[in-house]
mmCIF file of all heavy atoms in Angstrom:
data_model
loop_
_atom_site.group_PDB
_atom_site.id
_atom_site.type_symbol
_atom_site.label_atom_id
_atom_site.label_comp_id
_atom_site.label_asym_id
_atom_site.label_seq_id
_atom_site.Cartn_x
_atom_site.Cartn_y
_atom_site.Cartn_z
ATOM 1 N N ASP Q 130 -98.060 10.989 -5.728
ATOM 2 C CA ASP Q 130 -99.335 11.608 -6.165
ATOM 3 C C ASP Q 130 -98.978 12.789 -7.029
ATOM 4 O O ASP Q 130 -98.454 13.801 -6.514
ATOM 5 C CB ASP Q 130 -100.150 12.083 -4.964
ATOM 6 C CG ASP Q 130 -100.632 10.925 -4.109
ATOM 7 O OD1 ASP Q 130 -101.707 10.395 -4.426
ATOM 8 O OD2 ASP Q 130 -99.898 10.522 -3.175
ATOM 9 N N VAL Q 132 -99.969 15.006 -10.956
ATOM 10 C CA VAL Q 132 -100.812 15.176 -12.128
ATOM 11 C C VAL Q 132 -99.963 15.760 -13.232
ATOM 12 O O VAL Q 132 -99.237 16.763 -13.030
ATOM 13 C CB VAL Q 132 -102.019 16.150 -11.832
ATOM 14 C CG1 VAL Q 132 -102.781 16.478 -13.096
ATOM 15 C CG2 VAL Q 132 -102.928 15.532 -10.769
ATOM 16 N N SER Q 146 -102.045 8.399 -8.599
ATOM 17 C CA SER Q 146 -102.616 8.579 -7.289
ATOM 18 C C SER Q 146 -102.187 7.406 -6.411
ATOM 19 O O SER Q 146 -102.371 6.242 -6.811
ATOM 20 C CB SER Q 146 -104.144 8.609 -7.389
ATOM 21 O OG SER Q 146 -104.711 8.815 -6.131
ATOM 22 N N GLY Q 242 -104.500 27.505 -13.974
ATOM 23 C CA GLY Q 242 -104.387 27.541 -12.500
ATOM 24 C C GLY Q 242 -105.730 27.275 -11.805
ATOM 25 O O GLY Q 242 -105.784 26.627 -10.760
ATOM 26 N N LYS Q 243 -106.804 27.779 -12.417
ATOM 27 C CA LYS Q 243 -108.128 27.521 -11.888
ATOM 28 C C LYS Q 243 -108.378 25.994 -11.936
ATOM 29 O O LYS Q 243 -108.931 25.436 -10.980
ATOM 30 C CB LYS Q 243 -109.145 28.229 -12.830
ATOM 31 C CG LYS Q 243 -110.457 28.551 -12.222
ATOM 32 C CD LYS Q 243 -111.388 29.109 -13.304
ATOM 33 C CE LYS Q 243 -111.378 30.627 -13.348
ATOM 34 N NZ LYS Q 243 -112.447 31.138 -14.250
ATOM 35 N N ALA Q 244 -107.994 25.377 -13.046
ATOM 36 C CA ALA Q 244 -108.193 23.926 -13.192
ATOM 37 C C ALA Q 244 -107.332 23.161 -12.196
ATOM 38 O O ALA Q 244 -107.802 22.225 -11.546
ATOM 39 C CB ALA Q 244 -107.864 23.498 -14.623
ATOM 40 N N THR Q 245 -106.067 23.535 -12.040
ATOM 41 C CA THR Q 245 -105.185 22.763 -11.115
ATOM 42 C C THR Q 245 -105.738 22.844 -9.685
ATOM 43 O O THR Q 245 -105.645 21.841 -8.949
ATOM 44 C CB THR Q 245 -103.726 23.253 -11.130
ATOM 45 O OG1 THR Q 245 -103.688 24.639 -10.803
ATOM 46 C CG2 THR Q 245 -103.061 23.011 -12.470
ATOM 47 N N ALA Q 246 -106.327 23.953 -9.319
ATOM 48 C CA ALA Q 246 -106.885 24.058 -7.955
ATOM 49 C C ALA Q 246 -108.069 23.054 -7.783
ATOM 50 O O ALA Q 246 -108.217 22.484 -6.702
ATOM 51 C CB ALA Q 246 -107.368 25.481 -7.669
ATOM 52 N N GLN Q 247 -108.848 22.872 -8.835
ATOM 53 C CA GLN Q 247 -109.953 21.883 -8.771
ATOM 54 C C GLN Q 247 -109.360 20.479 -8.703
ATOM 55 O O GLN Q 247 -109.844 19.611 -7.949
ATOM 56 C CB GLN Q 247 -110.885 21.966 -9.991
ATOM 57 C CG GLN Q 247 -111.325 23.383 -10.394
ATOM 58 C CD GLN Q 247 -111.961 24.147 -9.269
ATOM 59 O OE1 GLN Q 247 -112.823 23.619 -8.543
ATOM 60 N NE2 GLN Q 247 -111.532 25.390 -9.082
ATOM 61 N N PHE Q 248 -108.295 20.225 -9.498
ATOM 62 C CA PHE Q 248 -107.688 18.881 -9.464
ATOM 63 C C PHE Q 248 -107.107 18.603 -8.096
ATOM 64 O O PHE Q 248 -107.184 17.478 -7.614
ATOM 65 C CB PHE Q 248 -106.569 18.756 -10.528
ATOM 66 C CG PHE Q 248 -106.979 19.028 -11.958
ATOM 67 C CD1 PHE Q 248 -106.087 19.469 -12.906
ATOM 68 C CD2 PHE Q 248 -108.307 18.825 -12.347
ATOM 69 C CE1 PHE Q 248 -106.503 19.746 -14.204
ATOM 70 C CE2 PHE Q 248 -108.713 19.076 -13.666
ATOM 71 C CZ PHE Q 248 -107.786 19.540 -14.593
ATOM 72 N N SER Q 249 -106.576 19.634 -7.448
ATOM 73 C CA SER Q 249 -106.034 19.478 -6.090
ATOM 74 C C SER Q 249 -107.131 19.019 -5.129
ATOM 75 O O SER Q 249 -106.897 18.166 -4.274
ATOM 76 C CB SER Q 249 -105.411 20.780 -5.577
ATOM 77 O OG SER Q 249 -104.096 20.897 -6.072
ATOM 78 N N LEU Q 250 -108.319 19.611 -5.273
ATOM 79 C CA LEU Q 250 -109.413 19.223 -4.369
ATOM 80 C C LEU Q 250 -109.829 17.773 -4.539
ATOM 81 O O LEU Q 250 -110.210 17.101 -3.598
ATOM 82 C CB LEU Q 250 -110.611 20.167 -4.594
ATOM 83 C CG LEU Q 250 -110.377 21.602 -4.095
ATOM 84 C CD1 LEU Q 250 -111.437 22.531 -4.626
ATOM 85 C CD2 LEU Q 250 -110.341 21.659 -2.576
ATOM 86 N N VAL Q 251 -109.735 17.290 -5.772
ATOM 87 C CA VAL Q 251 -110.116 15.883 -6.036
ATOM 88 C C VAL Q 251 -108.996 14.933 -5.653
ATOM 89 O O VAL Q 251 -109.253 13.888 -5.085
ATOM 90 C CB VAL Q 251 -110.507 15.714 -7.520
ATOM 91 C CG1 VAL Q 251 -110.912 14.273 -7.824
ATOM 92 C CG2 VAL Q 251 -111.614 16.690 -7.918
ATOM 93 N N LEU Q 252 -107.758 15.284 -5.983
ATOM 94 C CA LEU Q 252 -106.662 14.321 -5.931
ATOM 95 C C LEU Q 252 -105.587 14.621 -4.895
ATOM 96 O O LEU Q 252 -104.813 13.756 -4.528
ATOM 97 C CB LEU Q 252 -105.974 14.211 -7.308
ATOM 98 C CG LEU Q 252 -106.901 13.725 -8.411
ATOM 99 C CD1 LEU Q 252 -106.382 14.182 -9.770
ATOM 100 C CD2 LEU Q 252 -107.016 12.229 -8.367
ATOM 101 N N ASP Q 253 -105.488 15.912 -4.479
ATOM 102 C CA ASP Q 253 -104.467 16.326 -3.519
ATOM 103 C C ASP Q 253 -103.079 15.911 -3.906
ATOM 104 O O ASP Q 253 -102.373 15.275 -3.126
ATOM 105 C CB ASP Q 253 -104.851 15.816 -2.119
ATOM 106 C CG ASP Q 253 -104.041 16.491 -1.024
ATOM 107 O OD1 ASP Q 253 -103.618 17.645 -1.257
ATOM 108 O OD2 ASP Q 253 -103.847 15.889 0.019
ATOM 109 N N PRO Q 254 -102.634 16.252 -5.123
ATOM 110 C CA PRO Q 254 -101.284 15.798 -5.570
ATOM 111 C C PRO Q 254 -100.156 16.614 -4.913
ATOM 112 O O PRO Q 254 -100.362 17.724 -4.457
ATOM 113 C CB PRO Q 254 -101.314 16.058 -7.090
ATOM 114 C CG PRO Q 254 -102.234 17.237 -7.224
ATOM 115 C CD PRO Q 254 -103.282 17.071 -6.145
ATOM 116 N N GLU Q 255 -98.939 16.010 -4.920
ATOM 117 C CA GLU Q 255 -97.767 16.713 -4.459
ATOM 118 C C GLU Q 255 -97.331 17.736 -5.510
ATOM 119 O O GLU Q 255 -96.763 18.777 -5.195
ATOM 120 C CB GLU Q 255 -96.583 15.742 -4.295
ATOM 121 C CG GLU Q 255 -96.789 14.612 -3.346
ATOM 122 C CD GLU Q 255 -95.785 13.509 -3.646
ATOM 123 O OE1 GLU Q 255 -94.660 13.571 -3.150
ATOM 124 O OE2 GLU Q 255 -96.140 12.575 -4.415
ATOM 125 N N ALA Q 256 -97.578 17.378 -6.798
ATOM 126 C CA ALA Q 256 -97.011 18.197 -7.878
ATOM 127 C C ALA Q 256 -97.879 18.134 -9.133
ATOM 128 O O ALA Q 256 -98.550 17.155 -9.400
ATOM 129 C CB ALA Q 256 -95.615 17.707 -8.238
ATOM 130 N N PHE Q 257 -97.806 19.255 -9.872
ATOM 131 C CA PHE Q 257 -98.344 19.293 -11.237
ATOM 132 C C PHE Q 257 -97.111 19.347 -12.129
ATOM 133 O O PHE Q 257 -96.234 20.213 -11.939
ATOM 134 C CB PHE Q 257 -99.208 20.526 -11.442
ATOM 135 C CG PHE Q 257 -100.497 20.456 -10.681
ATOM 136 C CD1 PHE Q 257 -100.629 21.077 -9.429
ATOM 137 C CD2 PHE Q 257 -101.567 19.738 -11.175
ATOM 138 C CE1 PHE Q 257 -101.796 20.972 -8.711
ATOM 139 C CE2 PHE Q 257 -102.737 19.604 -10.449
ATOM 140 C CZ PHE Q 257 -102.860 20.251 -9.225
ATOM 141 N N LEU Q 274 -97.972 30.097 -13.952
ATOM 142 C CA LEU Q 274 -98.956 29.098 -13.560
ATOM 143 C C LEU Q 274 -98.947 28.857 -12.057
ATOM 144 O O LEU Q 274 -99.983 28.743 -11.427
ATOM 145 C CB LEU Q 274 -98.661 27.771 -14.317
ATOM 146 C CG LEU Q 274 -99.543 26.578 -13.884
ATOM 147 C CD1 LEU Q 274 -101.016 26.903 -14.060
ATOM 148 C CD2 LEU Q 274 -99.141 25.332 -14.625
ATOM 149 N N GLU Q 275 -97.765 28.848 -11.473
ATOM 150 C CA GLU Q 275 -97.673 28.647 -10.033
ATOM 151 C C GLU Q 275 -98.416 29.731 -9.268
ATOM 152 O O GLU Q 275 -99.123 29.451 -8.304
ATOM 153 C CB GLU Q 275 -96.213 28.599 -9.610
ATOM 154 C CG GLU Q 275 -95.997 28.253 -8.156
ATOM 155 C CD GLU Q 275 -94.505 28.152 -7.822
ATOM 156 O OE1 GLU Q 275 -93.831 29.196 -7.873
ATOM 157 O OE2 GLU Q 275 -94.040 27.048 -7.575
ATOM 158 N N LYS Q 276 -98.272 30.962 -9.739
ATOM 159 C CA LYS Q 276 -98.973 32.111 -9.128
ATOM 160 C C LYS Q 276 -100.494 31.889 -9.119
ATOM 161 O O LYS Q 276 -101.150 31.989 -8.107
ATOM 162 C CB LYS Q 276 -98.603 33.387 -9.867
ATOM 163 C CG LYS Q 276 -99.338 34.639 -9.408
ATOM 164 C CD LYS Q 276 -99.057 35.841 -10.308
ATOM 165 C CE LYS Q 276 -99.899 35.802 -11.562
ATOM 166 N NZ LYS Q 276 -99.766 36.976 -12.443
ATOM 167 N N HIS Q 277 -101.036 31.566 -10.278
ATOM 168 C CA HIS Q 277 -102.493 31.378 -10.397
ATOM 169 C C HIS Q 277 -102.954 30.132 -9.668
ATOM 170 O O HIS Q 277 -104.019 30.123 -9.046
ATOM 171 C CB HIS Q 277 -102.914 31.314 -11.869
ATOM 172 C CG HIS Q 277 -102.782 32.639 -12.569
ATOM 173 N ND1 HIS Q 277 -103.468 33.753 -12.167
ATOM 174 C CD2 HIS Q 277 -102.018 33.024 -13.615
ATOM 175 C CE1 HIS Q 277 -103.153 34.773 -12.923
ATOM 176 N NE2 HIS Q 277 -102.279 34.382 -13.802
ATOM 177 N N SER Q 278 -102.157 29.081 -9.762
ATOM 178 C CA SER Q 278 -102.481 27.835 -9.119
ATOM 179 C C SER Q 278 -102.617 28.064 -7.596
ATOM 180 O O SER Q 278 -103.573 27.575 -6.952
ATOM 181 C CB SER Q 278 -101.348 26.843 -9.441
ATOM 182 O OG SER Q 278 -101.659 25.590 -9.021
ATOM 183 N N ARG Q 279 -101.692 28.819 -7.026
ATOM 184 C CA ARG Q 279 -101.732 29.149 -5.587
ATOM 185 C C ARG Q 279 -102.944 30.032 -5.237
ATOM 186 O O ARG Q 279 -103.581 29.822 -4.213
ATOM 187 C CB ARG Q 279 -100.470 29.864 -5.179
ATOM 188 C CG ARG Q 279 -99.324 28.905 -5.090
ATOM 189 C CD ARG Q 279 -98.058 29.532 -4.570
ATOM 190 N NE ARG Q 279 -97.084 28.492 -4.391
ATOM 191 C CZ ARG Q 279 -95.789 28.687 -4.240
ATOM 192 N NH1 ARG Q 279 -95.319 29.937 -4.204
ATOM 193 N NH2 ARG Q 279 -94.970 27.681 -4.073
ATOM 194 N N ASN Q 280 -103.232 31.011 -6.085
ATOM 195 C CA ASN Q 280 -104.350 31.894 -5.814
ATOM 196 C C ASN Q 280 -105.661 31.216 -5.740
ATOM 197 O O ASN Q 280 -106.531 31.561 -4.935
ATOM 198 C CB ASN Q 280 -104.447 32.966 -6.908
ATOM 199 C CG ASN Q 280 -103.451 34.099 -6.681
ATOM 200 O OD1 ASN Q 280 -102.901 34.222 -5.620
ATOM 201 N ND2 ASN Q 280 -103.226 34.893 -7.750
ATOM 202 N N TYR Q 281 -105.860 30.191 -6.547
ATOM 203 C CA TYR Q 281 -107.151 29.490 -6.588
ATOM 204 C C TYR Q 281 -107.236 28.330 -5.618
ATOM 205 O O TYR Q 281 -108.326 27.830 -5.366
ATOM 206 C CB TYR Q 281 -107.443 28.977 -8.031
ATOM 207 C CG TYR Q 281 -107.963 30.070 -8.938
ATOM 208 C CD1 TYR Q 281 -107.135 30.719 -9.842
ATOM 209 C CD2 TYR Q 281 -109.311 30.467 -8.890
ATOM 210 C CE1 TYR Q 281 -107.604 31.732 -10.676
ATOM 211 C CE2 TYR Q 281 -109.803 31.463 -9.731
ATOM 212 C CZ TYR Q 281 -108.931 32.078 -10.613
ATOM 213 O OH TYR Q 281 -109.414 33.106 -11.434
ATOM 214 N N ALA Q 282 -106.085 27.905 -5.102
ATOM 215 C CA ALA Q 282 -106.098 26.716 -4.222
ATOM 216 C C ALA Q 282 -106.478 27.087 -2.795
ATOM 217 O O ALA Q 282 -106.325 28.228 -2.361
ATOM 218 C CB ALA Q 282 -104.697 26.104 -4.222
ATOM 219 N N ILE Q 283 -107.018 26.100 -2.050
ATOM 220 C CA ILE Q 283 -107.230 26.313 -0.616
ATOM 221 C C ILE Q 283 -105.832 26.347 0.033
ATOM 222 O O ILE Q 283 -104.899 25.752 -0.503
ATOM 223 C CB ILE Q 283 -108.130 25.239 0.021
ATOM 224 C CG1 ILE Q 283 -107.491 23.860 -0.071
ATOM 225 C CG2 ILE Q 283 -109.506 25.216 -0.593
ATOM 226 C CD1 ILE Q 283 -108.142 22.816 0.841
ATOM 227 N N PRO Q 284 -105.666 27.082 1.167
ATOM 228 C CA PRO Q 284 -104.343 27.315 1.712
ATOM 229 C C PRO Q 284 -103.516 26.013 1.888
ATOM 230 O O PRO Q 284 -102.316 25.971 1.584
ATOM 231 C CB PRO Q 284 -104.597 27.977 3.053
ATOM 232 C CG PRO Q 284 -105.951 28.563 2.934
ATOM 233 C CD PRO Q 284 -106.724 27.753 1.957
ATOM 234 N N GLU Q 285 -104.149 24.948 2.363
ATOM 235 C CA GLU Q 285 -103.407 23.729 2.631
ATOM 236 C C GLU Q 285 -102.829 23.095 1.361
ATOM 237 O O GLU Q 285 -101.887 22.308 1.421
ATOM 238 C CB GLU Q 285 -104.301 22.671 3.322
ATOM 239 C CG GLU Q 285 -104.708 23.037 4.732
ATOM 240 C CD GLU Q 285 -105.862 24.034 4.817
ATOM 241 O OE1 GLU Q 285 -106.321 24.514 3.749
ATOM 242 O OE2 GLU Q 285 -106.283 24.356 5.946
ATOM 243 N N GLN Q 286 -103.414 23.445 0.220
ATOM 244 C CA GLN Q 286 -102.944 22.829 -1.034
ATOM 245 C C GLN Q 286 -102.146 23.780 -1.920
ATOM 246 O O GLN Q 286 -101.691 23.421 -2.988
ATOM 247 C CB GLN Q 286 -104.149 22.272 -1.823
ATOM 248 C CG GLN Q 286 -104.819 21.112 -1.098
ATOM 249 C CD GLN Q 286 -105.973 20.535 -1.889
ATOM 250 O OE1 GLN Q 286 -106.737 21.283 -2.507
ATOM 251 N NE2 GLN Q 286 -106.151 19.226 -1.840
ATOM 252 N N ALA Q 287 -102.002 25.033 -1.436
ATOM 253 C CA ALA Q 287 -101.322 26.038 -2.237
ATOM 254 C C ALA Q 287 -99.864 25.738 -2.490
ATOM 255 O O ALA Q 287 -99.264 26.275 -3.379
ATOM 256 C CB ALA Q 287 -101.500 27.422 -1.606
ATOM 257 N N GLY Q 288 -99.325 24.841 -1.665
ATOM 258 C CA GLY Q 288 -97.912 24.502 -1.807
ATOM 259 C C GLY Q 288 -97.613 23.404 -2.798
ATOM 260 O O GLY Q 288 -96.456 23.011 -2.991
ATOM 261 N N ALA Q 289 -98.662 22.921 -3.496
ATOM 262 C CA ALA Q 289 -98.430 21.875 -4.494
ATOM 263 C C ALA Q 289 -97.399 22.405 -5.482
ATOM 264 O O ALA Q 289 -97.512 23.524 -5.970
ATOM 265 C CB ALA Q 289 -99.714 21.494 -5.189
ATOM 266 N N GLU Q 290 -96.409 21.585 -5.792
ATOM 267 C CA GLU Q 290 -95.338 22.053 -6.684
ATOM 268 C C GLU Q 290 -95.861 22.147 -8.115
ATOM 269 O O GLU Q 290 -96.692 21.350 -8.540
ATOM 270 C CB GLU Q 290 -94.171 21.037 -6.688
ATOM 271 C CG GLU Q 290 -93.442 20.924 -5.384
ATOM 272 C CD GLU Q 290 -92.430 19.771 -5.457
ATOM 273 O OE1 GLU Q 290 -91.791 19.625 -6.468
ATOM 274 O OE2 GLU Q 290 -92.325 19.049 -4.425
ATOM 275 N N VAL Q 291 -95.331 23.128 -8.839
ATOM 276 C CA VAL Q 291 -95.557 23.202 -10.302
ATOM 277 C C VAL Q 291 -94.174 23.044 -10.920
ATOM 278 O O VAL Q 291 -93.295 23.866 -10.676
ATOM 279 C CB VAL Q 291 -96.187 24.550 -10.680
ATOM 280 C CG1 VAL Q 291 -96.303 24.675 -12.201
ATOM 281 C CG2 VAL Q 291 -97.562 24.728 -10.012
#
Side-chain angles (χ1 to χ4, degrees):
D130 294 273
V132 173
S146 182
K243 203 186 265 189
T245 57
Q247 313 306 313
F248 302 153
S249 277
L250 290 167
V251 180
L252 298 157
D253 194 27
E255 302 160 85
F257 291 98
L274 174 59
E275 186 177 67
K276 175 187 80 176
H277 290 299
S278 189
R279 285 186 174 164
N280 279 345
Y281 280 99
I283 63 166
E285 291 80 357
Q286 294 181 322
E290 293 173 41
V291 175

